[in-house]
Amino acid sequence: QQQVKQSPQSLIVQKGGISIINCAYENTAFDYFPWYQQFPGKGPALLIAIRPDVSEKKEGRFTISFNKSAKQFSLHIMDSQPGDSATYFCAASRRGSGSRLTFGEGTQLTVNP
Amino acid sequence: KAGVTQTPRYLIKTRGQQVTLSCSPISGHRSVSWYQQTPGQGLQFLFEYFSETQRNKGNFPGRFSGRQFSNSRSEMNVSTLELGDSALYLCASSPRGGSTNEKLFFGSGTQLSVL
């Protein structure tokens, strides 16, 4: 059962543009929503994370927007750079689940120079 | 600090064989979790170990097992390999586990090919 749906599957953006990746979840028990970035040949690395008591969190060029009522959250990458080209995964977990993350399908982002 | 180390980096096995993968967490991290990554199924949680005890288990058959040693190093074992077990197996460590706010640190994975 896929509990976190991610879109789009792939995204091409010009340098300096805004990249937007969306995720939707089903399980209302989820209370932690991280985004991971993965480069080829590497494991995922945490980019930014949010909890449902806030609607937005910003770290540098990366912003998470969270809509609890719609059960949706999104990642915005401002001023996208070629070095941002990677696969991005949204994820979710619920309290007490330890390190058990439910991941979205992933979005392959390409930023053209 | 050294990152999460997984060995071997690549592995080729045939159907029916068994395989053992190794993971050394970041020094001081006590929680180790394992994920399977495939193009079709994405990233799926296998299990988590903390203080040598399995704390959480995903929806994988019993052929997939793991253990953790007193120094927090972990191994996972897959018996009676099937073609569908071909995947990138990722290990992640965290200081304590058990908290949904805790950052996971992933290794680069072991790429397993089953022929």
Side-chain angles (χ1 to χ4, degrees), chain A residues 2-64:
Chain A
Q2 179 57 262
Q3 296 188 53
V4 179
K5 294 186 185 299
Q6 182 173 347
S7 63
Q9 188 174 11
S10 63
L11 181 61
I12 300 175
V13 174
Q14 291 300 117
K15 178 182 175 182
I18 302 174
S19 304
I20 301 174
I21 305 171
N22 301 298
C23 283
Y25 62 97
E26 301 170 4
N27 190 342
T28 54
F30 286 149
D31 71 342
Y32 176 64
F33 302 90
W35 284 88
Y36 279 81
Q37 178 189 55
Q38 185 177 28
F39 292 104
K42 300 291 185 183
L46 179 67
L47 199 57
I48 186 173
I50 197 168
R51 296 203 66 188
D53 51 351
V54 297
S55 60
E56 185 175 283
K57 182 174 181 179
K58 183 177 181 180
E59 288 184 4
R61 297 185 293 110
F62 302 93
T63 300
I64 300 180

Side-chain angles (χ1 to χ4, degrees), chain B residues 70-81:
Chain B
S70 57
N71 61 359
S72 294
R73 191 177 69 85
S74 177
E75 290 180 345
M76 68 162 282
N77 183 276
V78 188
S79 62
T80 319
L81 283 166

Side-chain angles (χ1 to χ4, degrees), chain A residues 99-112:
Chain A
S99 300
R100 182 174 189 159
L101 292 172
T102 299
F103 282 90
E105 301 93 331
T107 296
Q108 188 166 345
L109 171 66
T110 302
V111 181
N112 288 328

Side-chain angles (χ1 to χ4, degrees), chain A residues 2 31-32 36 38 41-46 51 89 93-105, chain B residues 9 31 33 35 37 43 45 48 56-59 88 90 94 97-104 106-108:
Chain A
Q2 179 57 262
D31 71 342
Y32 176 64
Y36 279 81
Q38 185 177 28
K42 300 291 185 183
L46 179 67
R51 296 203 66 188
F89 293 93
S93 69
R94 57 178 179 81
R95 189 177 300 279
S97 64
S99 300
R100 182 174 189 159
L101 292 172
T102 299
F103 282 90
E105 301 93 331
Chain B
R9 186 70 179 90
S31 170
S33 52
Y35 285 81
Q37 184 173 21
L43 282 151
F45 173 81
E48 177 191 5
N56 223 326
K57 190 177 189 307
N59 300 321
L88 179 67
L90 292 160
S94 60
S99 164
T100 56
N101 282 344
E102 200 163 74
K103 178 179 178 178
L104 296 186
F106 283 87
S108 294

